[in-house]
Amino acid sequence: MNNIKNIYFPTTLRDFSKIFKKNSSLIAGSTYFFNANKKNNLLNDIIAITELPLKYIKKDKKNIRIGSLVTFDDIENNDICKDTYFGFLSHSASNCSSQLIRNMATIGGNIAHPNAFNIMPLVIETLNGKIKLYDGKKYTIMPLTDYYNKKLSGIITEIILPLAYDRDFFYFEKIAKTSSSWESYITFSFRASVKNKIINDMRLVFGAITSMPLSSINIEKKFTGKEITKELINDISKEYSEFVYNAHPSHKYAEYRKNVVMNTISEFFSKLSKR
Amino acid sequence: MKKMTVGKEKSIDISFNINGNDMTVSVKPSESLIDMIRRLGYKGTKKGCDTGDCGSCALILDGKAVVSCLMPAFYADGKKITTIEGIGSILNPHPIQKAFVDAGAVQCGFCIPGMIISTKFLLDRFPTPDEKTIKHHLDGNLCRCTGYVKQIEAVRLASNRLKNTNRE
């Protein structure tokens, strides 16, 4: 970073658009960028986006809208996040790293720098959320997968989470052999809607397995509309444990993860059947 | 829009308030906040892992406890910093510092400045935290000497003592 010429601190998106270029280096919470780039002498300019007006959590009739500069600590302690989705947002944010990091790390940064251990992409996928991207000229709203697949340039300004799932059943947990055994980690982020023991809708997303959140539309489709019985719990647990295992069969803890998935899914649907 | 331009000496001038004192210093764009703080003589803040994992370098920046090893020094411009030296001193220790000593929570002491910073942030926010909240707020401070039990006791002791004092 010793060849840097200018550091900009835009306070409005209009200012941002004047200085933003396709290959601009953006820094927000500083949990990723600085350590990754301090020895990088190719950077010329940096845009520190910390002063942009993107620190808000709002709720309208259809969605929760979270500004991309909101930190994990903000989400954990925000009343809207605590009261919606039965606290799923707050609980998942509280599982991010440590308090010192939760005070710094922004949800925009968690999305912009994909990593198997990131939490926010899982949460967005579970809730079928969308992200709003500003490229300096126009805004685009898109699903998370589009953002990753198209590798679009711009700044994530907002995360939009539909309230349609507010009364669904949620589960979020990070499980590992021991808390320091990061290699064995697996993150579960589940949502399901059940009425009279019939699965109306479900979204089961797994983290820490692949660099992007892992889910299977095919398995979800196969079991949606079915009644939760002992046989179904058995089948769905088996199917998902194979699915997760096959995503990374050579992994040191593949067998452990397979068993954890089997047990966790079995427990999740057993609880749902008793609702 | 604020713009910092790197000068001929490849440095930028930044101004901030540290422990109540206003200061202007030159920093390199690649200098971390921990390196700058220690260069200025505030050596109570420790440099541990340098990757944001151990919490030894914690300080309070505009009211929030953060790790200073992951942060560029230029981020401090216009901000208010509190380091362990700003919490209390040997002659006039803060009740949190005294509680850590009295609870026997200090062994080698390397992690303690970070622990105290995290405790200060916690008790400013939740003056009477339960054990779960204490553990949750100290989860970024690693200690290689103890089993964390004494530190949790120290936070409880500090919380009780702070109820009976006006000290911030």
Side-chain angles (χ1 to χ4, degrees):
Chain A
M1 284 173 66
N2 282 329
N3 290 333
I4 285 172
K5 293 185 178 70
N6 298 296
I7 303 160
Y8 298 94
F9 292 80
T11 52
T12 64
L13 284 164
R14 180 176 283 196
D15 281 349
F16 173 82
S17 69
K18 289 176 194 163
I19 47 172
F20 178 72
K21 290 172 202 145
K22 213 177 173 183
N23 56 354
S24 289
S25 303
L26 309 185
I27 177 168
S30 188
T31 53
Y32 169 84
F33 180 88
F34 182 64
N35 235 23
N37 286 295
K38 63 183 165 189
K39 287 178 185 160
N40 178 358
N41 285 330
L42 298 173
L43 302 178
N44 281 325
D45 291 347
I46 292 182
I47 306 177
I49 57 171
T50 47
E51 308 300 321
L52 289 174
L54 301 172
K55 290 174 199 160
Y56 58 84
I57 300 174
K58 296 179 202 165
K59 189 175 176 179
D60 58 33
K61 279 184 182 171
K62 288 185 175 174
N63 299 298
I64 289 186
R65 294 175 182 274
I66 307 179
S68 60
L69 290 178
V70 164
T71 64
F72 280 83
D73 182 69
D74 295 334
I75 294 181
E76 186 186 344
N77 293 295
N78 178 271
D79 285 341
I80 292 174
C81 295
K82 280 184 193 169
D83 294 344
T84 322
Y85 312 121
F86 296 102
F88 171 69
L89 283 175
S90 289
H91 174 65
S92 54
S94 76
N95 272 277
C96 167
S97 190
S98 67
Q99 183 64 50
L100 296 164
I101 299 295
R102 289 190 292 276
N103 284 346
M104 299 164 71
T106 64
I107 61 165
N110 202 246
I111 296 163
H113 304 295
N115 181 300
F117 293 93
N118 287 4
I119 281 174
M120 213 31 74
L122 256 72
V123 170
I124 296 172
E125 280 293 276
T126 309
L127 291 167
N128 288 330
K130 290 191 172 155
I131 61 163
K132 194 171 174 182
L133 192 78
Y134 179 61
D135 65 4
K137 286 175 190 154
K138 61 178 192 315
Y139 290 94
T140 316
I141 295 174
M142 69 192 87
L144 191 66
T145 41
D146 281 8
Y147 173 69
Y148 288 137
N149 293 339
K150 293 177 185 170
K151 293 185 177 161
L152 299 168
S153 166
I155 178 177
I156 298 168
T157 58
E158 193 173 81
I159 286 86
I160 304 164
L161 304 170
L163 285 169
Y165 308 120
D166 191 22
R167 309 312 294 169
D168 282 5
F169 191 80
F170 293 92
Y171 178 80
F172 186 97
E173 213 58 64
K174 278 161 75 176
I175 298 177
K177 280 193 127 173
T178 63
S179 60
S180 59
S181 165
W182 63 271
E183 278 181 300
S184 67
Y185 258 104
I186 175 159
T187 316
F188 298 95
S189 182
F190 298 166
R191 174 182 62 77
S193 158
V194 172
K195 202 173 179 186
N196 300 327
K197 291 197 177 186
I198 305 288
I199 303 169
N200 288 330
D201 184 24
M202 62 188 252
R203 193 91 182 91
L204 273 59
V205 188
F206 304 85
I209 307 282
T210 49
S211 60
M212 302 293 163
L214 184 71
S215 63
S216 168
I217 299 284
N218 289 339
I219 304 179
E220 285 166 12
K221 271 186 187 164
K222 184 176 171 183
F223 290 97
T224 300
K226 300 268 169 69
E227 187 181 352
I228 305 177
T229 59
K230 272 189 180 173
E231 291 73 34
L232 177 131
I233 294 171
N234 201 27
D235 289 349
I236 199 167
S237 311
K238 230 178 195 175
E239 197 134 344
Y240 267 113
S241 63
E242 288 295 332
F243 170 69
V244 171
Y245 178 84
N246 289 329
H248 201 161
S250 59
H251 191 276
K252 191 177 167 186
Y253 291 102
E255 204 59 47
Y256 165 79
R257 285 166 157 182
K258 188 177 169 182
N259 292 332
V260 172
V261 171
M262 176 86 92
N263 295 337
T264 307
I265 298 218
S266 174
E267 199 185 318
F268 178 70
F269 283 97
S270 297
K271 274 187 185 165
L272 278 181
S273 69
K274 287 168 195 156
R275 281 192 95 195
Chain B
M1 171 173 40
K2 185 165 89 179
K3 179 184 171 187
M4 292 176 176
T5 300
V6 180
K8 279 180 188 167
E9 287 164 10
K10 294 210 165 187
S11 61
I12 325 153
D13 287 343
I14 61 165
S15 300
F16 50 87
N17 180 290
I18 183 161
N19 301 333
N21 303 313
D22 290 329
M23 207 174 254
T24 300
V25 297
S26 288
V27 296
K28 288 206 159 72
S30 61
E31 186 170 14
S32 64
L33 187 53
I34 173 76
D35 287 343
M36 180 196 81
I37 295 287
R38 288 183 60 84
R39 177 163 62 84
L40 295 175
Y42 296 94
K43 297 206 171 173
T45 308
K46 303 294 183 230
K47 190 167 178 172
C49 66
D50 217 17
T51 54
D53 293 313
C54 76
S56 305
C57 65
L59 46 79
I60 297 174
L61 188 75
D62 275 358
K64 287 241 173 182
V66 297
V67 285
S68 56
C69 65
L70 291 183
M71 204 172 261
F74 64 75
Y75 253 37
D77 188 53
K79 301 261 171 38
K80 192 180 169 206
I81 302 168
T82 305
T83 67
I84 188 70
E85 291 89 348
I87 304 253
S89 63
I90 291 170
L91 293 176
N92 185 21
H94 190 277
I96 297 174
Q97 291 170 308
K98 204 155 181 324
F100 267 71
V101 173
D102 293 347
V106 183
Q107 284 193 28
C108 89
F110 193 85
C111 67
I112 298 302
M115 288 259 184
I116 286 170
I117 290 286
S118 288
T119 305
K120 177 80 170 71
F121 172 69
L122 162 66
L123 296 180
D124 284 350
R125 198 178 209 197
F126 305 115
T128 51
D130 57 19
E131 188 170 324
K132 197 179 161 197
T133 311
I134 296 171
K135 285 182 178 172
H136 190 57
H137 275 72
L138 263 61
D139 62 358
N141 296 91
L142 302 185
C143 170
R144 300 293 79 179
C145 302
T146 72
Y148 301 100
V149 175
K150 295 288 181 189
Q151 278 101 348
I152 294 165
E153 279 175 23
V155 177
R156 277 209 202 97
L157 186 60
S159 163
N160 285 333
R161 286 179 180 174
L162 279 166
K163 273 187 235 164
N164 307 315
T165 164
N166 292 326
R167 185 149 177 185
E168 279 193 357

